[in-house]
Amino acid sequence: MDVKFLYIFLVGVLILLNERINVIALPALRERQEPADNTTLGTWKIVGDSGVSGMHAVVVAPKKVIFIDRLEQNHLKKSDGLAAISSEYDLDTNQARPLSVYTNTFCSAGSFLANGTLIEAGGSTGDDINYRSGLQTIRVYDKDIGDWIELEGILPSNRWYPTMITLPNGNLMILGGSTKAVAVNRADINNPTFTIYPPPNGVMQDHEFEFLTATLPNNLYPIVHLIPNDEGKALLFVFASKESIAFDLGTGQTVKTYPKMPGGFRSYPLTGTSIMLPLSPIDNYKPTIMICGGNKDREITSVSEASCGRLALTTENAEWEMDDFGGTPRVMPDVTYLVDGTILFVNGAGTGFAGLRKGQGANSLYTADNPVLFPTHYDPIAKTYKALASTNIPRVYHSVATLLPDGTVLVAGSNPSSVVSLGIKFPTEYRVEIFTPPYLYTTTPRPNIVSLQDIPTNQQRIPIFYDEAITMVVHIKSSDLQPSLKAAIIHHGFVTHSTNMNQRYVNLNIENFYPDESIADQYVVTLKLPPNPTIIAPGPHYIYLFNYNAPCVIGVDVLLN
């Protein structure tokens, strides 16, 4: 039976009977009309095959995405004939190229150094004669050779389900996790520590982080965001379970304890998702965190959380501002910015929790069910939700979504099985989809950024610097409207398990904007970059322009330092 029809039918029965129905389906889901055309709710298109199931995804260039899976028998083979567990996906050709990884990347983490190098850390044991343990491995993606370099055994302790964040000084913090694979974390395997890479004194070492002891057992993939400040401090918002703190890395002290978040649990395995709302110089980059979804109970039949909370991190006596997540329960949702500063929630399930399928054949059970097939669009200024067009591919455990530089959203993954499983209810998923948001169907001319700092765009990563005024040349096709621009710098993050590490959106001031009299439909724009690296960490980002309701053709690949 069509899932959407089932939802509508159950809601109708509830109204007729005027009594509570105790079913697994989702009584909180709204009835939703399909669009008359694709300009209002967006469209979906299957574009290719990821080669490896997309458990992790990261944009590494304007037209390239890296996928990372765990150790399993994917159909994409390396030159030695072994199954690949990482691939480089070309967005122009929609072809996947195998990468060389020989340590198990299962449930690892990733982030970028200030110089633009992608680092990936942790994983699981090696369960195959050809693959080794990744629990203490750091992997370096070398863009010059287009492949991974594996540094085995250099982490001081095992890391499974850690989180990584780029710090204001450009180094990385690797936080938390457990020392072995587990369904729910527990004290004897908990790893309540962090390590810094590269190590400041040349020696990798762990440092205690008591918060991850207090938040057992739902504390894997802790939520971490850098808090903007004027002092240049490495001040971190850290959340696990229902609890959160502000932690000063420089002093090693918790400087603020926030109120407990209402509702269910929000971190693995009762997995929700988080995002820092777009920052703006208008209010001195005042930070607000938004956390959505999750579940109250680790039960297959438990209806997911239909709630979100917003917390203003620097407001005195801040409290969680709660809403109903647009009326749609989701566990394991993914969240990504759109170019215009609005937010897209996608993927996930209406019941259950994160985990692998139990058993085999007709009697097997999935730990999550009732996949939510439509994305929800959130306007952070109006605080409104809108359901958009549906896909027909369920994306549950081990799914990903990320903004692409052309303003679309890539969606991939889903593999709630312990081995590659096809032809079942929720198969190992290799299909790559592109969701085209409604703003790309605009008739308003889209800006085409020709150059930045006199360097042609997207032929190389362009270096830029904090508190700098930068100049770009932009082509905007003539229309009845005089151009009206907005600008932003976005870090696309590293996505896995509903956690988008380091994802960030910062509005930029436009200091000057005037026509280039020598060339028709061409303009010169001067932008002011953020004043310090606590607002957006150093590393690779993309700069975007927006003309009324029309995003630029493609963002500009930059390196901010």
Side-chain angles (χ1 to χ4, degrees), residues 170-353:
N171 291 344
L172 306 180
M173 179 186 191
I174 307 168
L175 173 68
S178 59
T179 59
K180 60 188 289 188
V182 67
V184 181
N185 204 9
R186 59 180 192 264
D188 62 310
I189 59 171
N190 188 34
N191 190 346
T193 70
F194 68 87
T195 191
I196 304 298
Y197 180 83
N201 60 1
V203 179
M204 297 283 287
Q205 58 183 333
D206 286 339
H207 306 272
E208 292 299 318
F209 197 76
E210 194 278 333
F211 176 77
L212 292 178
T213 298
T215 50
L216 279 168
N218 300 305
N219 69 351
L220 297 177
Y221 277 137
I223 291 168
V224 186
H225 294 272
L226 188 61
I227 301 175
N229 62 87
D230 295 327
E231 293 80 33
K233 295 180 179 179
L235 192 60
L236 306 174
F237 171 81
V238 185
F239 180 102
S241 188
K242 301 181 182 183
E243 312 291 341
S244 53
I245 59 172
F247 182 79
D248 187 331
L249 184 60
T251 63
Q253 300 295 315
T254 296
V255 295
K256 192 169 188 176
T257 300
Y258 296 103
K260 179 181 292 187
M261 186 175 179
F265 298 98
R266 312 288 177 166
S267 45
Y268 183 89
L270 302 172
T271 307
T273 194
S274 76
I275 194 165
M276 180 171 281
L277 299 186
L279 297 167
S280 174
I282 293 174
D283 60 3
N284 196 31
Y285 309 101
K286 183 177 180 180
T288 298
I289 288 293
M290 188 174 188
I291 299 177
C292 299
N295 211 323
K296 294 181 176 65
D297 299 300
R298 191 172 171 267
E299 297 289 343
I300 293 173
T301 59
S302 179
V303 175
S304 307
E305 268 293 327
S307 70
C308 288
R310 293 168 52 131
L311 184 68
L313 300 185
T314 55
T315 297
E316 194 71 26
N317 302 317
E319 297 287 340
W320 288 96
E321 178 187 343
M322 304 299 296
D323 65 38
D324 70 350
F325 202 1
T328 303
R330 289 186 202 251
V331 65
M332 299 178 291
D334 287 292
V335 62
T336 183
Y337 298 116
L338 297 181
V339 177
D340 62 354
T342 60
I343 290 167
L344 192 76
F345 294 96
V346 66
N347 301 336
T351 54
F353 56 95

Side-chain angles (χ1 to χ4, degrees), residues 5-26:
F5 176 80
L6 177 61
Y7 295 157
I8 297 170
F9 169 77
L10 289 171
V11 172
V13 170
L14 180 60
I15 294 171
L16 289 173
L17 296 180
N18 194 27
E19 63 183 19
R20 183 174 180 178
I21 302 175
N22 185 22
V23 292
I24 299 177
L26 305 181

